[in-house]
Amino acid sequence: MDKQLPVFNWSLRKAQNTEPDSFIRARIRIVYTILLFALAKALVIIGFGAAQVQGQLMARAVGALVIYSVLLKLLLYRPSLVKKIAHFMIVLGVVLVCTNVFVFTSKVNLLTIQFVFMVAVSSFYILGNRLGILYSVAAILPVVLSTFVKGNGDFNTGPSNELGSPGYEVMVVLNFISIIVAHYLFFSAFNANIREKEKLNAQLQTAIADANALAVSKSNFLSTMSHELRTPLNSVIGVAELLIDDKPEERQLEYLKVLQFSALDLLSLINNVLDFNKLDSDKSALETLPVPLAELMRNLCSGLRLKATAKDLGLVLDIDPHLQAISVISDPTRLSQVIYNLVGNAIKFTEKGSVTLQLSLAKRTENEATVLFSVADTGIGIHPGKHEAIFELFSQAEAHTTREYGGTGLGLAIVKQILALFDSRIQLESSVGSGSRFFFTVDFPVVRNELAVPVVAPGIGISHLKILVAEDNEINRLVISKQMGRLNLQPVIVENGRDAYEALIAGQFDVVFMDLHMPVLDGRKTLQQIRALPDPAKANVHVVAFTASVSEQQQPVYSGFDDFLYKPLNLEELKSKLERIATSRSIPV
C-alpha cells in the first residue's frame, strides 16, 4: 500500500522515504533530477526565445514547462508512480528527437544526439532492459533515417535555426550535466546496494556461525541429556523387570507393570527427541549388518505386546513363509525404530480390535529381496485431507488428538526421515472411523551365505562365559549384576576403565562390557590400551560398548569395539546378545 504524502509536498526526501528499496529511491532521484533540468532548460529557451523574438520556440518551451511542472508535482505527491512518469518523460524525449530531425531543424545536431543519450540512459536506468532497448531504438531510429534515407549525414555542432547563440551553448551544457548526474545517481545507488548486500552477507555469515555453534551446543546438550536420562531409566526398567520376574503378588504385579509400562513410554519419548535431533543434524547413517528379519520382528512384537495387552488389543504378526529363513543386510536399530513407532502409534490410537504387522516378500532376486511392511489397525482413522500433514514435525491429525492421546508429533516425522535413508517412503490408506494402514517397501541385499549370520542353537549355554563389566554408576552396577545373576552368570564388576584394564591383565575374560563415560579412564581410552596389550588373547577380547548415549550409535563399532549395547538393558536382549557372542566366537564351555 502506497504511503500517503501531502498534496503540496515538495520534499524529495519524504518522497524517497516511502520506498525501502535503494534502487527505487535512485529512480525517484534520477526522474526528479531530469525533471529539474528539463524545467531549467525550458526557462532558458523561454528567456532566449523572448530576446530573439522566437514566438513558436517560446510556445513549445511554455508547454514543456507546464508538462514538466505537473510531472514533478505528481512525483513528489505519488512517488509510487515513478515508472509511469518516466514512461511519459521518455516518450516526450522520443517525440522531441523526431520533431527536431524531421520538422524544426531538419538535420542531426548536437542537441538531438544529447536527447538520444538522455532517452537511452533514462529508459535503461529507470525502466529496465527490455523497455530500455525499445525506447533507445525508438530514439535512435529518426537519426538513422535522417542520415541514410534523407542523406543528412553531416553532423552539425553549431546553433540551430531556431535557438541561436548563446542559448544553444547553455542548452548543450545543461544536457551534458543532466547525463552525467543521471549516471552518478544510478551508480551511487548501485554501489550503496553492493555495500548493503556485503553488510547483510557479513551479518548472514555471523548468523550462520552462531546457528552452527548453537546446533553443536544443542546436539552436545541432548547427547549429555541422553546419557543422564537413560542412566536412571536403566535402573527403573531393569529393577521393574527383575521384580516382575520374581512373581510378586497380584496387586504388586499390577503396580510393577504400570511402572514398567510408564518407564518404557518415557524411554520411547526420549529416544524420539534424541533421534529427531540426530536426523535433523544429518548425522545419521545406516549400518550394514546381517539381520534375520523374522526373528527381529518377533522380538519387537514381544516387547510391544505388553502395550497392546494393557488396552485389551490383539497384536498380530503375519510374516510371509518365504521370509522366515531369509537374512538381509540392513540397520536393525533403524528398522526396529520404524516398526516400533508405527505399531506403537497404531496401539495408541486404537481403542478396540487389533493391530496387525505384516511382512510380505514382494520381489526376490539372487542378491536382493524387496519386502513390503504393513501396519494396520482398527483405530480412529485419519481424514484424507490430513494424510500429508501427520508426517510433518510436531503435527497430529486433529488439534484434540494431542489432548486426548498425548504424544509429541515426532514419531511419524522420524519414520519418514528414517525411511528416506532406506530410499523408501511411507504410504497411508485411511479414513475417519475405519482404521489406518501404513505401508512401505525396502530393497534389502540378501545374505547369500547364511553362515554369515550367527545362528544360535536352541538352549545354548552361556553360564560358562567369563564377563567383565566396567560401569561407574552404582545403581546400574547393581542392576546388571542382578540381571546377569538371573542368567546364571557371575560377572566381575569394576567402577572405571583403569580398574577394568588391570582386571583384564590379572584374569581371563571372554567378554567385556565397557561403559563409554567413566571417570579416571573412559571407555574409548581403555579400549585403546586393551588393544595394545602384547597378549593376543587379551588384546582381542570381545568388547561391547555399553552406553546410554544414543547419539553415539555409529562411533563404537568403528572405533575398535566389537559390538554395542544400549541402556536400559532388557534381560532378553542381554541374553540374546551373549548367546550370539558365544556362537560367533566359538567360546568353549
Side-chain angles (χ1 to χ4, degrees), residues 7-76:
V7 176
F8 297 104
N9 172 58
W10 293 101
S11 170
L12 174 63
R13 177 173 293 180
K14 289 182 180 179
Q16 287 180 304
N17 288 341
T18 61
E19 297 293 342
D21 187 89
S22 58
F23 275 114
I24 297 178
R25 293 197 296 270
R27 288 179 183 138
I28 294 172
R29 283 198 301 274
I30 291 171
V31 172
Y32 178 83
T33 302
I34 291 174
L35 286 172
L36 284 182
F37 276 104
L39 290 172
K41 287 182 281 188
L43 290 172
V44 168
I45 292 173
I46 290 171
F48 284 105
Q52 297 171 6
V53 195
Q54 294 280 351
Q56 187 179 23
L57 184 64
M58 284 181 61
R60 288 168 58 200
V62 169
L65 183 69
V66 172
I67 291 172
Y68 290 136
S69 297
V70 171
L71 291 177
L72 182 64
K73 186 73 209 68
L74 185 60
L75 177 69
L76 295 174

Side-chain angles (χ1 to χ4, degrees), residues 246-262:
D246 278 340
K247 298 183 175 48
E249 296 178 6
E250 176 115 14
R251 181 172 57 88
Q252 293 172 330
L253 179 62
E254 183 181 353
Y255 293 160
L256 287 170
K257 285 186 175 180
V258 170
L259 175 65
Q260 186 185 48
F261 181 79
S262 300

